[in-house]
Amino acid sequence: MATPNGGSKSAVQPSEEQVVLDQQIDHIRVVTLNSPRKLNIISSKVVSRLAELFEQWENESDAEIILIKGTGRAFSAGGDLRMFYEGKADESWIEVVYRMYWLLYHLHSYKKTLVAIVHGLAMGGGASIAIPATFSIVTESTVFATPEAGFGFHTDCSFSYVHSHLPGHLGEYLALTGARVDGAEMVACGLATHYVPNEKLPELEKHLITLKSGDHNAVKAAIEEFSIQVQPGEKSILK
């Protein structure tokens, strides 16, 4: 919620019903996935609210950086499968899918600087919100996969596109198996831009909030004050 004096004001107060929290802090907009007991699954409410916020902030002249994160021990465990099952009777799920695909196209072509802080699980449709960010930050706890591939579905939510742009045959492998990769592997293959240890995330977030500009180089330099260089382990599928 914007404030006349340019200060910060939380648009909502956390509650079980508010699955997406949004906040304005000067030139920064923060969006938080807020269903920690459900591992921040992507429900129809989440899709609608994210689409609304991202469209609104892209048109706000004083919004320089959009920061997205999740509460609890996961960024997002992916789409709410119950939503599809319960919606099959009246085909209400079709509208949700349309909105989700529109949101993802919007994120892949977004005009503002997007920063995703991706800790813990980042699965399928949940990860799809973070991957197109200008800067996608992962940690030692980050685990990414497209689990729908494991039970015979094609990789959804833009990952047929994302996988096809990974180096070598890695994308084909992930799309066929649904195999998991960790934070270091994500950086190595281009699914993430920076690796920041979990313990440094609070300090990094505070630093990003002090930035006055969404300039690509300025944000990159700010993140690199906290990021470290990592390499995939010897047992990594990248080896």
Side-chain angles (χ1 to χ4, degrees):
M1 181 181 295
T3 56
N5 61 5
S8 64
K9 181 178 180 181
S10 176
V12 292
Q13 297 299 317
S15 79
E16 187 65 25
E17 290 73 32
Q18 291 158 344
V19 293
V20 175
L21 306 178
D22 61 279
Q23 187 178 23
Q24 172 183 323
I25 306 173
D26 296 322
H27 299 290
I28 313 299
R29 306 293 185 267
V30 182
V31 59
T32 306
L33 303 177
N34 186 52
S35 300
R37 286 192 286 181
K38 296 182 179 179
L39 301 178
N40 299 322
I41 57 175
I42 306 300
S43 65
S44 59
K45 289 183 179 179
V46 172
V47 173
S48 295
R49 185 57 178 155
L50 289 179
E52 178 185 2
L53 289 171
F54 280 113
E55 185 171 18
Q56 172 188 326
W57 290 339
E58 190 173 44
N59 294 320
E60 290 181 357
S61 59
D62 64 333
E64 294 282 344
I65 301 171
I66 287 80
L67 178 65
I68 183 167
K69 59 181 182 175
T71 55
R73 58 190 179 92
F75 176 77
S76 174
D80 183 0
L81 296 182
R82 180 182 295 179
M83 170 182 66
F84 295 100
Y85 180 80
E86 294 178 347
K88 66 181 182 180
D90 59 2
E91 297 189 343
S92 60
W93 60 272
I94 295 177
E95 176 65 20
V96 180
V97 170
Y98 172 82
R99 283 177 171 269
M100 183 65 177
Y101 289 173
W102 181 92
L103 171 63
L104 294 175
Y105 177 81
H106 193 194
L107 293 179
H108 276 271
S109 57
Y110 208 66
K111 297 175 183 178
K112 300 290 180 74
T113 300
L114 291 174
V115 179
I117 297 179
V118 188
H119 72 286
L121 293 176
M123 300 290 177
S128 70
I129 296 170
I131 297 297
T134 318
F135 301 103
S136 185
I137 300 164
V138 294
T139 75
E140 66 271 24
S141 68
T142 306
V143 179
F144 161 77
T146 50
E148 63 269 23
F151 47 83
F153 284 14
H154 67 81
T155 53
D156 198 13
C157 295
S158 77
F159 278 109
S160 57
Y161 171 83
V162 172
H163 281 147
S164 71
H165 286 71
L166 295 181
H169 295 286
L170 176 63
E172 293 168 89
Y173 174 77
L174 296 178
L176 289 169
T177 65
R180 297 186 173 198
V181 294
D182 62 23
E185 292 169 322
M186 290 178 71
V187 173
C189 72
L191 285 169
T193 61
H194 294 84
Y195 185 103
V196 176
N198 275 318
E199 63 182 14
K200 292 186 177 182
L201 290 183
E203 190 177 355
L204 167 62
E205 187 174 342
K206 289 179 181 178
H207 186 50
L208 289 172
I209 288 172
T210 66
L211 297 179
K212 302 300 181 184
S213 168
D215 175 76
H216 184 279
N217 291 330
V219 177
K220 181 180 179 182
I223 296 171
E224 289 178 348
E225 291 183 32
F226 300 87
S227 65
I228 61 175
Q229 297 296 317
V230 290
Q231 296 296 328
E234 287 301 317
K235 294 183 179 181
S236 168
I237 57 173
L238 272 67
K239 298 287 186 177

